């Protein structure tokens, strides 16, 4: 007897599905609770998803050129990648920054760098997503300070900071402070933005990196939604209104190659979040809607026969669109080798545009609804995800589950099983363990000059020489006092960046108060 066929989450796939596999609720309408079929009644007929391209490398000057290029090619929103020192709160001239400045993203040390990064770009006219977590509050402060300099109306500024620290402890590792003070910073951001920056998405609760670390589709949504529940509870404990901050929560998911399981995952996630938010006390429909950004699966890209990745990204793009994403980034075919070249970034964007304007996929809402297979799979993904959520709830929620190592262990087991399946050829990866070639044609890579750290360090030295140091010291002292007293950190951090305090200086002040997570 042949082995059963399984999805990547281990769900058995029957040879054929029929009417008996359709759930009773299959006649749901889009735009209505629990939003399985989408958060808008007309979805992409009213407005296409936002086409973003994640970009950032080297210096602010170099990244600015790429942003202008992408905007000229039809990108609707910018998505900023930051280098590792920026992500973990070190200035470019810090000893621990050596070898990492400008490598996996752009180096941003001060408001001066932020001014350069967005030179010639009006923040009121563009939606900006920033993939930043531990230092998300500082980068948001830079962005707000720049918007004020441009004379922008803060009530019109739109975008997202990722700001999801729980998945950093579980899957990614770019944390600074322990979980409790980190959660306090996040709720400070929720509170400040609800009053001052009402169109800003204050968090993008991220399953993307959980999946990149090796989770299954089921684990991705279970762990992500559990983290979301922890943020909501922290905000409620602070006395915030779920119907206000709930509208500004967004999610960030991965799109992998198993087309139907990915579509089912997105549909199940919407349904689960609506139920969770209702149970937590939300009454406003918009506060129950799961809105999400998708990025195609970086971990699925292969260094072998890299042009095959164009096809993989196309399948993943279709999964995101058929699953009802609100915005999308498509990876460059060469990203298993280096940062994407301009050509690879353009092809990635064109992939979205071809799906949008040539494929017919956006023409009707939730086109796979009513499929015996997709409806059945949506139910199975949801059921298995609820089982994991229940386990996490029994442990006391996400923070406890992470502290006990539960999420980390589950992800590691799935990653190991997936790798074993590839090595045993139970899972075929085209060009890697089957359909290989003897000789690979070299693909030109995108290289970052190692002199970037020197350039950034010189900029920092000039900045420190000309700013008002007494004013900076007063601002840093105010941050210390706010951190100790429990008052909202955002106003004092914004004042500090406007005085040209650096990212590392602000992060260090809080290291002294909160300590570092080991």
């Amino acid at each position: 007897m042949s082995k059963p066929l399984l999805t990547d989450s281990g769900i058995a796939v029957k040879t054929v599905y029929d009417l008996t596999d359709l759930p009773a609720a299959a006649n749901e309408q889009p735009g209505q609770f629990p939003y399985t079929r989408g958060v808008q009644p007309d979805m992409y007929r009213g407005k296409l998803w936002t086409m973003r391209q994640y970009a950032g490398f080297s210096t602010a000057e170099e990244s600015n050129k790429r942003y202008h290029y992408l905007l000229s090619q039809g990108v609707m929103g910018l998505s900023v990648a930051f280098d590792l020192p920026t992500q973990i709160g070190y200035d470019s001239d810090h000893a621990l920054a050596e070898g990492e400045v400008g490598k996996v993203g752009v180096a941003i040390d001060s408001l001066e760098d932020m001014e350069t990064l967005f030179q010639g770009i009006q923040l009121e006219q563009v939606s900006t997503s920033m993939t930043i977590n531990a230092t998300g509050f500082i980068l948001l402060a830079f962005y707000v300070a720049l918007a004020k300099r441009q004379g922008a109306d803060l009530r019109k500024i739109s975008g997202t900071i990722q700001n999801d620290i729980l998945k950093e402890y579980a899957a990614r590792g770019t944390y600074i402070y322990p979980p409790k003070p980190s959660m306090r910073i996040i709720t400070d951001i929720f509170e400040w933005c609800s009053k001052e920056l009402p169109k800003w998405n204050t968090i993008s609760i991220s399953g993307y990196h959980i999946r990149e670390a090796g989770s299954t589709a089921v684990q991705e949504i279970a762990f992500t939604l559990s983290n979301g529940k922890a943020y909501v509870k922290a905000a409620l404990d602070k006395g915030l209104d779920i119907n206000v901050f709930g509208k500004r929560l967004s999610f960030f998911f991965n799109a992998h190659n198993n087309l139907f399981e990915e579509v089912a995952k997105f549909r199940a996630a919407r349904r689960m979040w609506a139920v969770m938010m209702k149970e937590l006390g939300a009454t406003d429909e918009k506060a129950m809607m799961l809105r999400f950004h998708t990025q195609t699966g970086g971990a699925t890209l292969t260094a072998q026969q890299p042009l095959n990745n164009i096809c993989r990204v196309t399948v993943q793009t279709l999964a995101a669109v058929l699953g009802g994403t609100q915005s999308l980034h498509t990876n460059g075919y060469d990203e298993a080798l280096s940062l994407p070249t301009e050509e690879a970034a353009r092809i990635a964007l064109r992939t979205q545009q071809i799906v949008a304007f040539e494929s017919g996929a956006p023409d009707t809402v939730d086109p796979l609804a009513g499929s015996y297979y997709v409806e059945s799979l949506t139910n199975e993904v949801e059921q298995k995800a609820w089982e994991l959520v229940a386990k996490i709830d029994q442990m006391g929620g996400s923070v406890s589950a992470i502290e006990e190592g539960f999420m980390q262990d589950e992800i590691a087991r799935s990653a190991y099983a997936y790798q074993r399946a590839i090595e045993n050829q139970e899972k075929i990866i085209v060009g890697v363990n089957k359909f290989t070639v003897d000789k690979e044609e070299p693909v030109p890579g995108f290289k970052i000059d190692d002199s970037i750290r020197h350039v950034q360090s010189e900029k920092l030295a000039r900045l420190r020489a000309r700013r008002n140091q007494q004013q900076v010291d007063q601002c840093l002292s105010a941050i210390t006092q706010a951190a100790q007293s429990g008052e909202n950190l955002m106003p004092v951090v914004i004042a500090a960046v406007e005085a040209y305090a650096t990212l590392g200086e602000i992060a260090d002040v809080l290291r002294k108060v909160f300590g570092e997570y080991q």
Side-chain angles (χ1 to χ4, degrees):
M1 189 175 159
S2 63
K3 285 180 75 176
L5 198 63
L6 306 174
T7 69
D8 291 342
S9 292
I11 295 169
V13 181
K14 300 199 299 187
T15 305
V16 68
Y17 289 75
D18 60 29
L19 200 57
T20 60
D21 295 294
L22 279 183
N27 200 28
E28 277 176 23
Q29 292 304 306
Q32 293 177 11
F33 184 89
Y35 315 109
T36 314
R37 302 196 59 196
V39 292
Q40 300 293 342
D42 59 352
M43 283 303 287
Y44 304 131
R45 286 175 75 118
K47 182 181 180 244
L48 282 174
W49 64 93
T50 301
M51 296 182 196
R52 296 189 187 279
Q53 284 306 113
Y54 185 47
F57 53 87
S58 181
T59 59
E61 289 85 351
E62 289 302 310
S63 292
N64 176 261
K65 288 177 195 167
R66 178 67 66 94
Y67 295 156
H68 279 284
Y69 171 74
L70 289 169
L71 288 165
S72 76
Q73 294 299 306
V75 154
M76 304 167 182
L78 297 174
S79 188
V80 184
F82 298 97
D83 73 357
L84 205 53
T86 304
Q87 291 180 49
I88 52 176
Y90 294 119
D91 288 332
S92 296
D93 57 359
H94 193 284
L96 291 176
E98 188 160 357
E100 291 294 344
V101 177
K103 289 290 171 71
V104 298
V106 61
I108 299 293
D109 294 317
S110 70
L111 176 56
E112 187 177 70
D113 286 331
M114 200 64 140
E115 289 165 343
T116 304
L117 186 68
F118 289 99
Q119 194 164 9
I121 298 168
Q122 290 301 309
L123 301 192
E124 244 186 61
Q125 293 165 15
V126 69
S127 160
T128 303
S129 171
M130 295 190 274
T131 303
I132 194 78
N133 296 284
T135 54
F137 66 107
I138 306 174
L139 271 299
L140 178 60
F142 286 150
Y143 198 81
V144 168
L146 176 59
K148 285 162 74 176
R149 297 244 154 135
Q150 288 187 354
D153 179 353
L154 292 188
R155 302 191 72 78
K156 291 181 183 169
I157 295 293
S158 67
T160 306
I161 38 171
Q162 192 163 96
N163 196 29
D164 173 6
I165 204 65
L166 291 178
K167 68 95 179 47
E168 294 296 329
Y169 302 117
R172 193 161 171 264
T174 65
Y175 43 72
I176 303 175
Y177 316 112
K180 286 190 174 66
S182 294
M183 292 292 275
R184 175 259 173 104
I185 293 169
I186 287 168
T187 55
D188 279 0
I189 293 167
F190 287 1
E191 183 179 52
W192 186 84
C193 287
S194 69
K195 296 169 188 159
E196 307 292 338
L197 217 63
K199 288 182 77 176
W200 192 265
N201 295 323
T202 49
I203 194 166
S204 176
I205 304 155
S206 175
Y208 184 84
H209 302 99
I210 290 169
R211 192 67 178 278
E212 289 289 286
S215 82
T216 64
V218 165
Q219 288 168 336
E220 181 188 352
I221 60 168
F223 296 164
T224 306
L225 298 184
S226 288
N227 289 349
K229 190 194 270 193
Y231 293 125
V232 171
K233 285 186 168 177
L236 289 171
D237 289 345
K238 194 161 182 163
L240 303 184
D241 183 346
I242 192 169
N243 288 321
V244 176
F245 74 80
K247 295 175 191 172
R248 304 276 32 118
L249 304 176
S250 66
F251 288 81
F252 173 27
F253 290 121
N254 207 313
H256 266 230
N257 292 330
N258 192 318
L259 178 71
F260 297 108
E261 183 173 54
E262 294 300 292
V263 172
K265 174 189 82 179
F266 297 132
R267 299 171 92 245
R270 265 194 300 272
R271 192 152 73 201
M272 290 174 72
W273 185 246
V275 170
M276 275 185 185
M277 287 296 275
K278 197 169 193 175
E279 287 174 353
L280 288 164
T283 53
D284 188 308
E285 284 199 353
K286 284 201 163 71
M288 297 183 232
M289 291 178 181
L290 182 144
R291 297 167 302 113
F292 66 97
H293 170 71
T294 309
Q295 182 173 339
T296 56
T300 68
L301 303 178
T302 65
Q304 301 92 328
Q305 301 178 35
L307 289 175
N308 293 347
N309 293 327
I310 297 173
C311 186
R312 290 186 179 100
V313 169
T314 305
V315 171
Q316 294 162 10
T317 301
L318 272 170
V321 170
L322 295 172
T325 193
Q326 274 59 66
S327 86
L328 179 61
H329 162 84
T330 34
N331 289 330
Y333 68 82
D334 54 359
E335 287 188 56
L337 301 164
S338 68
L339 287 171
T341 57
E342 203 166 89
E343 181 204 41
R346 184 175 65 248
I347 290 171
L349 175 60
R350 293 290 182 258
T351 303
Q352 292 200 52
Q353 291 164 335
I354 289 167
V355 169
F357 299 107
E358 296 184 32
S359 75
D363 291 354
T364 187
V365 184
D366 192 22
L368 293 183
S371 152
Y372 304 140
Y373 179 38
V374 170
E375 294 291 359
S376 173
L377 195 52
T378 301
N379 272 19
E380 290 200 66
V381 167
E382 182 186 8
Q383 182 192 331
K384 285 182 177 289
W386 277 126
E387 287 165 12
L388 276 174
V389 169
K391 278 188 189 174
I392 291 165
D393 285 346
Q394 283 164 6
M395 292 177 195
S398 275
V399 176
S400 302
I402 288 164
E403 286 172 345
E404 288 178 35
F406 171 73
M407 287 192 195
Q408 298 92 312
D409 290 346
E410 289 284 308
I411 293 166
R413 266 197 292 273
S414 295
Y416 177 73
Y418 188 79
Q419 189 56 38
R420 281 292 303 271
I422 292 171
E423 287 169 12
N424 298 338
Q425 288 207 343
E426 290 168 31
K427 176 87 186 160
I428 300 301
I429 307 294
V430 174
V432 175
N433 62 358
K434 203 165 186 182
F435 314 114
T436 56
V437 291
D438 294 332
K439 188 170 181 289
E440 293 270 0
E441 288 299 316
V443 172
F446 188 86
K447 294 286 180 278
I448 300 295
D449 192 333
D450 280 325
S451 67
I452 299 304
R453 181 166 184 255
H454 179 66
V455 170
Q456 282 297 110
S457 299
E458 283 189 340
K459 269 203 267 183
L460 277 165
R462 290 195 298 271
L463 176 74
R464 290 190 183 113
R466 70 171 178 271
R467 70 187 183 180
N468 181 332
Q469 191 58 43
Q470 187 183 358
Q471 188 187 4
V472 171
D473 292 340
Q474 286 171 347
C475 288
L476 295 175
S477 175
I479 292 172
T480 301
Q481 288 165 13
Q484 290 167 338
S485 70
E487 74 178 89
N488 195 300
L489 285 165
M490 283 308 296
V492 288
V493 172
I494 291 167
V497 305
E498 287 178 327
Y500 289 97
T502 68
L503 172 122
E505 289 166 341
I506 295 167
D508 280 346
V509 162
L510 293 176
R511 279 185 176 95
K512 289 187 183 121
V513 180
F514 297 145
E516 288 191 74
Y517 182 70
Q518 301 298 328

